[in-house]
Amino acid sequence: MEKETIINNKDYITYFEDNFLISQISNYHNKLSEQIKSAKKIYLNDNGFLNLSISSNRNFGMSLENLVFNFLYEKDENLTYLKDKYEIDFFSNKSLYQVTFNIDDENTKKRELNAFGYFDSLDASQKILVTYDINEQYDHVEVISCDNFILSK
């Protein structure tokens, strides 16, 4: 009788990462050891995989965040995220990046902009909120459409 092989989720994640299907980023921390132990966020290396689900519902916000991830990760493999009371999607080279499909809803706008204020102690050189199609300025936060974001970087 053959010994049964048990494969856990961590093995799958390692396999997918080793084959360049996904990438992981850590929660930023001043101590590298704490950052390594932190919870990871997983992103697909190809947005096309997001279309393979059985469900007909498309999450455009998730697709946009994954697109911005791939763009930023190509430039900075030390990309992290920030999470405490609020969450910032990406932290790279002293810049904070938040991604939301739109900010038409006042609660969404408030939540996304408040996240930047919560992490003011990091003294970020840029605070950028990437949306699908809005280009505006709110205090010290640049709201930029995804096409302008990608073309300007």
Side-chain angles (χ1 to χ4, degrees), residues 25-40 77-80:
I25 61 174
S26 301
N27 190 1
Y28 174 79
H29 198 281
N30 290 336
K31 295 180 183 176
L32 186 57
S33 61
E34 291 297 318
Q35 187 168 308
I36 290 169
K37 291 190 290 187
S38 73
K40 309 293 186 250
E77 289 188 2
N78 295 315
L79 185 66
T80 58

Side-chain angles (χ1 to χ4, degrees), residues 40 49 65 91 127 129 131 133 136 143:
K40 309 293 186 250
F49 290 123
E65 184 175 333
F91 181 51
K127 297 175 182 177
L129 175 58
T131 67
D133 61 354
E136 296 176 349
V143 180

